[in-house]
Amino acid sequence: GWWHTFAGFGTWTVEGDWLRLTGAQAETVPELVAAVVGRGGRVEAVVPDHQTLEERFLELLGAG
């Protein structure tokens, strides 16, 4: 089914009329959008999660 195609992109949650994907890698977004559109779906928005400065700093230090 369609779910197997999209399950590997990240974690899906239902929020009202929306399906929200979290945990996707930025480089997979074009492939995901193409797969959704190719199956007749519609992508309303792609909004990257932004790290806080503290999270980014810890990641750069290797502590995150």
Side-chain angles (χ1 to χ4, degrees):
W2 70 271
W3 185 250
H4 296 292
T5 301
F6 300 109
F9 284 102
T11 303
W12 294 89
T13 53
V14 177
E15 296 183 0
D17 293 336
W18 295 78
L19 278 174
R20 180 185 183 121
L21 174 65
T22 53
Q25 299 299 312
E27 59 271 11
T28 66
V29 171
E31 179 185 348
L32 172 61
V33 170
V36 170
V37 173
R39 284 179 164 65
R42 191 170 76 196
V43 176
E44 292 288 334
V46 175
V47 181
D49 287 337
H50 293 286
Q51 293 178 308
T52 66
L53 289 175
E54 180 181 15
E55 289 169 338
R56 182 65 179 142
F57 181 69
L58 291 174
E59 182 179 273
L60 289 171
L61 290 177

